[in-house]
Amino acid sequence: PHFIIRLPRSNMDVCFNIDSKPGHILNLVSDIGTGVVVNGQLISSKKVHKDKLKTYFGVVSVYYQPEGFSVTVSTDRITTTDGRRSNVFTWGSTAEITHDGVTVSIVKNAQATITINNRIQVTVLLHRVWKKHPVNVDFLGVYLSNSNQYSPLVHGLIGQFSQEPEVRVYGVHEGADPLKKEATMEVKGNKLLVTRGWQKDYTWDRKHGSNVYCWFIHNSGKGFIDGHYSDYIVPDLDSFLQLP
Amino acid sequence: ATLTSEEQEDFGAITGQDITVKSYKVESRITSRFAHVTVRSSVVNSGTKAQSIAFNVQIPKRAFISNFTMNVNGITFVGSVKEKTLARKLYARARSRNHAAGIVRTNSQDLEVFKTEVHVPPGSNIEFELHYQEMMERKLGFYEHSLYLQPGRLVPHFQVDVYIYEQNGIASVETSNTFGTQFAELIKVTSTKDKAHVVFKPSVQQQRECANCTNSAIDGELTVKYDVTRDSTSGELQVSDSYFFYFLAPSNLSPFPKNIVFVIDVSGSMWGVKMKQTVEAMRAILDDLTVEDQFGIIDFNHNVRCWNEDLVPGSSLHTTSAKSYIESIKPNGGTNINEALMRAVQMLMRAFNQDLINSRSISMIILVSDGDPTVGEIKLSVIQKNIKRAMREEFSLFSVGIGFDVDYDFLERIAMENRGMAQRIYANHDAAEQLRTFYHQVSSPLLSKIAVRFSDESVTNVTQSQFDKYFSGSELVVAGRVLPSESSSLSGYTSASSANMDLILEMDADIHKLDEELAKQQHSFTGFAKQMWAYLTIKQLIGERSLAPTAAKKRKITQRIISLSLDHQFVTPLTALLVTNDDDPTEMLLADSPMDPKHGCCSALPATSRVTFPPRPPGGMVYATPPSRPHWLLPATQPPTPSQVKKGEVDETLVTTNGVTRVDED
């Protein structure tokens, strides 16, 4: 999957890809302060295409620990669980589900938005592809609002950027690909070679998406994210990130 | 279905050797859970003497007959639905001129038997055609469409066709029959995404009971069981012919925990098989409880006893102990329903007041009884009031009536009035299994406080749209009319609570799509929407009528039922089918709906009501003469004796006093 991080103070977007293995669960937000965790499990395309087995989010889980309540969104269904009881909703429904402080709004065959205490909102978009497509599979997109009110203890592949890092980009120059400029980015004490490019944001146009121009970080976000991407692989859909 | 001895005799009459059933065809067209069934039979008196030919069809009790026609030697009798008193008046007038004969509808457990008989000369050709319509009710995850086939003899052209069309798709179709396993492979099912066709067309040889037998083995039930595809938890909204239907049947939701008080009648009449089967059923029911559930058991005869004064969790320790208690009960004595139910309510109230009941749980009382109250408060109306007054909104009452000695109408009334359901259990059948099945239907409540809403500007004439509970495997149905508008879609909302969350479901439908699809279908039930809406509305009004608090309200509901029944040609409890001869409208037959056997109308009906056709005279005149008048057609000037009424020999709906006919106690 690709990640786009909006950095409002620097007025720029930063992107990176993470190509882990199908089945791996990546922690996106882990906030032990509010008790919220957002994890995404990877699925792969049907076969290798251009020497690459693409991975996407096939399952996204939002767990709210204080209520022991989780919402698991897959490309087939949306499941809510409060420990003993689970309820399954199809993507064919438009529904609003309320469980104590958690609201799940499902828009038929389009998106599911999970709102926790009106403070944290996670939107999951369903991307359906042609069932008989030789390579592509249905996948999910996850959108986390910049206005989410996490605690200072928040972390995770996306959560760590709730505290916007200082970023400086300089030395913009022509790259190997004449259409893609290159530059140097200074962030978190690292100097990274970054490439100007774009990624798709499907928030407004779920079918075609809109291009977001961003500075692309190579090597699975190495240097931009804290540690290595593999540090964000967690064992279960409701696992919090174990900080060293 | 088992025939009564009387029906057996009657059945024997039509299997005489000199009658040829040329064809027997049954066709069902089911569209969006609504079925139109046509039964056609063509019979010839191939003997040398005049004789009686009967046409018997067993139809489900929930079905409404919509028409019956009969053609005897080219003379057609056509049916039309009339308001009951008017039909009877017309019929009485014809009868006074010896121009009438009866069609009888009798009760038989879940079925009603529609029967008519004609006395015809040799060589006569008779064609019968009966139409009825019914809504498929979803139970335990399936719609079940049962056809009761009794051709009476070997038939050269025997065929059953069931055509199903479901817009959202058919998830599964299966068939079963009670005639014999050899017929299983003769029932062919073909299905596509949204259509299914079941055909059963045995040859004469295949119909035989044995290779050289002349008897037909086809005497029983052919059942088609199916379910629809549900791709939305929000339910399915359909619009056809300016009527809408909303079907809600979510699955995959966690059931509510339950607080159940079982109230079991252990009066003397329960002694023997009934009690044995109740114990057997209770064993299985108790095994189904979980530790999240709470339960209590009250057994009553003239006294009321509690196995435990308070509700206890459904742990194995408690259920084992409860089973032993029930097994040790020896039925005897009278029946004190009132006190038993009051104790059950108190048990729930106590748990409520002590805060022992989870706010997201369902509290219910399940009453099992086989007879009327004989001890304590015995006035049914007072018991009904007492229960209604004592019950809290959060409690519901489910009634199970075993056998025919129980006033099932009463049990149904108290259940309906208290947010529950009733079920009759037939003691001569596998009662334990029936009781268990009923329990399974109500033991998994998935939703409560369900309200379906549409904007006032978009719909009108909406049927019941608020429901207390939704049980797993069943289906809630709301219907209404779509008001003309610019919009090509209809949308609505459903709010409900589940075991751990509150839900708002949104549904929408294209108002033209279904009609476009139906236009392409060869075997769909044309005009189903109008009939289905009327069927649901009438059923609902019949329920409301029995609970009407004032005479004025009851009269108003009665008028509405009659008006709808006439508009939509349904034989309901307030209308009758008058079958008249085209050539001579004074020749007529009458089919009324039967009452519950407890009310004594039907089991004593003679099987001799019939139309007699003498040999066709040269001038072509044929007339009908009732050789023996059915005793429920007493002249208005001849009131029944008190003993007749008491013994149930006279239909209560026709009890006459001083020349005034009292209809349905209105």
Side-chain angles (χ1 to χ4, degrees):
Chain A
H2 69 252
F3 290 72
I4 307 171
I5 309 293
R6 173 77 191 152
L7 303 172
R9 268 196 293 134
S10 308
N11 192 22
M12 72 167 77
D13 292 284
V14 177
C15 329
F16 57 91
N17 288 349
I18 287 186
D19 291 313
S20 196
K21 289 184 182 156
H24 278 174
I25 298 169
L26 297 178
N27 175 258
L28 306 178
V29 175
S30 177
D31 185 358
I32 49 169
T34 57
V36 174
V37 65
V38 182
N39 288 324
Q41 186 165 29
L42 300 180
I43 52 165
S44 71
S45 53
K46 285 174 188 162
K47 58 184 178 189
V48 175
H49 184 61
K50 292 182 181 169
D51 292 334
K52 202 172 174 189
L53 187 67
K54 285 188 176 177
T55 54
Y56 313 86
F57 284 123
V59 180
V60 172
S61 165
V62 179
Y63 177 55
Y64 183 46
Q65 196 182 37
E67 290 293 332
F69 187 71
S70 73
V71 182
T72 307
V73 183
S74 74
T75 53
D76 297 330
R77 62 181 74 93
I78 297 117
T79 308
T80 64
T81 312
D82 73 344
R84 283 169 304 191
R85 291 193 190 86
S86 69
N87 300 298
V88 180
F89 296 85
T90 60
W91 272 110
S93 329
T94 293
E96 187 168 295
I97 303 145
T98 315
H99 174 95
D100 295 322
V102 184
T103 303
V104 184
S105 299
I106 305 165
V107 178
K108 188 176 176 178
N109 293 322
Q111 66 183 63
T113 300
I114 299 104
T115 309
I116 298 163
N117 291 331
N118 290 319
R119 293 160 66 93
I120 295 170
Q121 196 170 71
V122 182
T123 298
V124 182
L125 258 56
L126 172 68
H127 295 276
R128 284 249 165 91
V129 300
W130 178 42
K131 271 199 166 22
K132 290 178 183 169
H133 193 286
V135 180
N136 294 345
V137 290
D138 294 347
F139 65 97
L140 302 172
V142 192
Y143 294 82
L144 293 137
S145 169
N146 271 1
S147 56
N148 280 352
Q149 296 166 45
Y150 301 114
S151 80
L153 299 171
V154 67
H155 204 62
L157 275 169
I158 295 173
Q160 63 187 279
F161 297 105
S162 70
Q163 297 291 321
E164 188 176 333
E166 286 294 327
V167 177
R168 196 164 75 91
V169 176
Y170 58 91
V172 178
H173 59 275
E174 292 292 325
D177 180 342
L179 293 174
K180 292 179 181 173
K181 290 196 163 60
E182 290 179 349
T184 302
M185 177 186 281
E186 267 187 24
V187 61
K188 296 181 178 176
N190 302 314
K191 277 187 184 173
L192 311 171
L193 175 69
V194 292
T195 305
R196 191 68 177 159
W198 66 86
Q199 290 284 17
K200 290 279 188 194
D201 177 344
Y202 293 92
T203 318
W204 309 113
D205 181 349
R206 208 167 50 86
K207 198 168 180 189
H208 305 100
S210 52
N211 289 333
V212 174
Y213 289 87
C214 55
W215 288 109
F216 186 80
I217 317 285
H218 299 271
N219 300 320
S220 298
K222 192 176 175 189
F224 181 65
I225 60 171
D226 294 341
H228 191 261
Y229 84 86
S230 58
D231 299 338
Y232 297 88
I233 296 172
V234 289
D236 297 301
L237 283 167
D238 56 2
S239 299
F240 283 82
L241 198 59
Q242 298 298 317
L243 294 173
Chain B
T2 310
L3 294 174
T4 62
S5 57
E6 185 185 275
E7 286 160 355
Q8 288 282 13
E9 279 172 31
D10 190 62
F11 187 71
I14 68 157
T15 55
Q17 292 305 301
D18 296 332
I19 294 169
T20 308
V21 181
K22 287 195 295 186
S23 75
Y24 192 94
K25 292 186 177 176
V26 181
E27 187 190 89
S28 294
R29 292 179 179 217
I30 305 171
T31 300
S32 292
R33 294 78 158 162
F34 198 65
H36 180 119
V37 182
T38 310
V39 184
R40 292 185 187 91
S41 178
S42 177
V43 187
V44 179
N45 176 2
S46 44
T48 53
K49 289 178 187 163
Q51 60 182 318
S52 290
I53 292 179
F55 176 65
N56 294 351
V57 181
Q58 297 195 61
I59 65 170
K61 268 188 176 160
R62 61 173 183 262
F64 287 152
I65 287 173
S66 54
N67 203 3
F68 171 69
T69 57
M70 183 172 75
N71 185 302
V72 184
N73 292 328
I75 297 169
T76 309
F77 284 76
V78 184
S80 63
V81 176
K82 297 257 187 279
E83 194 264 315
K84 208 171 205 170
T85 45
L86 173 69
R88 283 173 175 169
K89 215 176 279 172
L90 292 169
Y91 181 72
R93 203 179 297 157
R95 195 192 65 236
S96 68
R97 299 186 198 119
N98 276 350
H99 279 219
I103 301 173
V104 182
R105 286 175 74 196
T106 59
N107 270 308
S108 165
Q109 299 183 350
D110 276 336
L111 305 167
E112 281 171 8
V113 183
F114 175 94
K115 50 202 267 184
T116 188
E117 191 177 333
V118 285
H119 197 75
V120 290
S124 298
N125 284 290
I126 306 104
E127 280 165 17
F128 302 99
E129 188 172 309
L130 178 73
H131 297 253
Y132 65 86
Q133 298 179 350
E134 66 168 324
M135 173 101 194
M136 302 289 101
E137 216 175 293
R138 189 166 183 260
K139 281 182 182 170
L140 300 171
F142 290 100
Y143 305 98
E144 234 181 64
H145 182 57
S146 291
L147 296 167
Y148 305 87
L149 306 172
Q150 289 179 301
R153 57 205 298 112
L154 301 172
V155 183
H157 301 286
F158 182 95
Q159 186 163 343
V160 179
D161 290 285
V162 179
Y163 298 99
I164 306 169
Y165 174 75
E166 292 289 349
Q167 186 187 21
N168 232 36
I170 295 169
S172 65
V173 190
E174 50 191 79
T175 61
S176 60
N177 76 85
T178 59
F179 336 125
T181 48
Q182 74 273 29
F183 289 102
E185 60 191 36
L186 299 178
I187 302 168
K188 307 285 182 205
V189 182
T190 49
S191 62
T192 58
K193 183 186 168 286
D194 52 9
K195 278 182 290 191
H197 180 205
V198 176
V199 62
F200 175 50
K201 197 178 170 183
S203 65
V204 170
Q205 190 57 35
Q206 287 164 333
Q207 291 170 43
R208 291 180 200 279
E209 254 183 1
C210 61
N212 300 319
C213 294
T214 53
N215 291 341
S216 172
I218 300 172
D219 178 5
E221 225 173 284
L222 167 64
T223 301
V224 179
K225 231 167 123 175
Y226 78 97
D227 198 18
V228 302
T229 310
R230 278 166 237 280
D231 54 12
S232 170
T233 313
S234 305
E236 198 182 328
L237 182 63
Q238 298 181 354
V239 181
S240 171
D241 204 10
S242 296
Y243 291 88
F244 78 83
F245 302 97
Y246 172 57
F247 304 100
L248 180 66
S251 53
N252 294 323
L253 299 175
S254 281
F256 282 95
K258 303 175 289 287
N259 316 297
I260 309 186
V261 184
F262 297 98
V263 180
I264 303 167
D265 183 347
V266 294
S267 60
S269 54
M270 284 287 287
W271 193 87
V273 176
K274 280 188 206 167
M275 192 64 210
K276 199 175 152 205
Q277 291 183 321
T278 303
V279 170
E280 196 185 314
M282 280 304 295
R283 271 197 225 119
I285 289 168
L286 290 168
D287 279 339
D288 267 4
L289 295 174
T290 68
V291 280
E292 282 208 305
D293 299 320
Q294 299 190 84
F295 76 104
I297 294 172
I298 292 175
D299 61 301
F300 69 98
N301 44 20
H302 47 283
N303 293 318
V304 178
R305 288 161 300 273
C306 298
W307 161 67
N308 195 320
E309 284 300 319
D310 292 304
L311 294 177
V312 294
S315 64
S316 60
L317 188 75
H318 286 129
T319 55
T320 307
S321 162
K323 278 188 258 183
S324 309
Y325 176 77
I326 292 170
E327 281 160 11
S328 67
I329 295 173
K330 301 271 181 287
N332 68 76
T335 308
N336 191 346
I337 290 181
N338 186 64
E339 201 186 323
L341 286 174
M342 290 302 117
R343 288 280 283 276
V345 177
Q346 283 160 13
M347 193 181 279
L348 286 174
M349 289 285 275
R350 219 165 28 245
F352 236 86
N353 294 338
Q354 291 168 6
D355 225 8
L356 298 171
I357 285 185
N358 175 353
S359 61
R360 282 195 187 262
S361 66
I362 298 287
S363 300
M364 49 171 84
I365 296 169
I366 298 185
L367 166 70
V368 181
S369 179
D370 77 331
D372 290 345
T374 57
V375 179
E377 181 55 68
I378 56 168
K379 227 175 160 188
L380 299 183
S381 59
V382 176
I383 299 175
Q384 190 180 335
K385 270 184 203 153
N386 289 345
I387 299 164
K388 192 162 186 220
R389 203 165 30 226
M391 291 279 277
R392 282 175 64 142
E393 277 291 307
E394 294 89 343
F395 306 161
S396 44
L397 172 65
F398 295 81
S399 315
V400 177
I402 304 184
F404 283 102
D405 293 329
V406 67
D407 190 332
Y408 180 70
D409 284 349
F410 166 69
L411 293 184
E412 193 173 40
R413 223 164 33 236
I414 56 172
M416 280 174 64
E417 203 172 53
N418 293 287
R419 301 160 291 281
M421 292 196 288
Q423 175 75 48
R424 167 167 268 155
I425 301 286
Y426 301 105
N428 56 344
H429 273 55
D430 185 353
E433 183 55 35
Q434 293 175 58
L435 189 53
R436 271 202 304 268
T437 303
F438 177 67
Y439 176 75
H440 283 138
Q441 281 174 38
V442 301
S443 63
S444 287
L446 300 187
L447 294 175
S448 73
K449 301 187 193 92
I450 305 123
V452 181
R453 292 187 191 93
F454 296 88
S455 88
D456 288 345
E457 295 79 41
S458 62
V459 297
T460 183
N461 297 112
V462 181
T463 58
Q464 183 186 353
S465 58
Q466 296 200 27
F467 303 88
D468 196 62
K469 283 177 276 298
Y470 160 73
F471 297 100
S472 177
S474 68
E475 185 171 65
L476 300 179
V477 185
V478 180
R481 300 186 74 162
V482 181
L483 289 167
S485 84
E486 304 266 297
S487 173
S488 61
S489 68
L490 174 70
S491 52
Y493 299 87
T494 301
S495 58
S497 295
S498 81
N500 60 347
M501 51 179 56
D502 294 325
L503 313 170
I504 296 173
L505 307 169
E506 194 180 323
M507 60 280 184
D508 56 75
D510 182 315
I511 62 173
H512 304 298
K513 199 175 160 195
L514 178 56
D515 284 334
E516 284 164 13
E517 285 301 318
L518 289 172
K520 294 180 211 159
Q521 306 301 326
Q522 205 186 339
H523 297 289
S524 65
F525 168 11
T526 315
F528 86 95
K530 188 179 163 210
Q531 292 301 93
M532 184 162 150
W533 169 80
Y535 177 96
L536 284 165
T537 307
I538 293 170
K539 286 275 173 187
Q540 186 183 316
L541 287 168
I542 291 171
E544 283 174 22
R545 186 177 180 271
S546 69
L547 300 175
T550 63
K553 189 150 192 202
K554 191 168 185 178
R555 262 195 298 277
K556 204 171 159 192
I557 297 171
T558 303
Q559 279 313 311
R560 178 121 170 81
I561 296 173
I562 291 171
S563 161
L564 279 170
S565 306
L566 297 179
D567 283 353
H568 296 264
Q569 290 288 291
F570 281 138
V571 181
T572 64
L574 299 170
T575 52
L577 188 74
L578 202 63
V579 185
T580 49
N581 176 352
D582 275 353
D583 297 332
D584 180 357
T586 61
E587 287 179 24
M588 51 184 64
L589 300 90
L590 183 74
D592 266 354
S593 56
M595 291 192 62
D596 189 284
K598 184 76 166 58
H599 288 159
C601 95
C602 302
S603 55
L605 277 175
T608 50
S609 50
R610 57 187 180 173
V611 188
T612 302
F613 288 88
R616 195 177 182 125
M621 279 298 291
V622 174
Y623 54 89
T625 309
S628 68
R629 179 182 295 151
H631 71 200
W632 45 278
L633 289 167
L634 291 171
T637 50
Q638 188 188 320
T641 63
S643 64
Q644 276 176 313
V645 178
K646 197 175 174 192
K647 285 177 193 164
E649 287 174 2
V650 180
D651 184 344
E652 282 181 8
T653 60
L654 277 175
V655 169
T656 56
T657 315
N658 301 327
V660 179
T661 305
R662 201 153 56 84
V663 180
D664 294 338
E665 300 170 326
D666 227 358

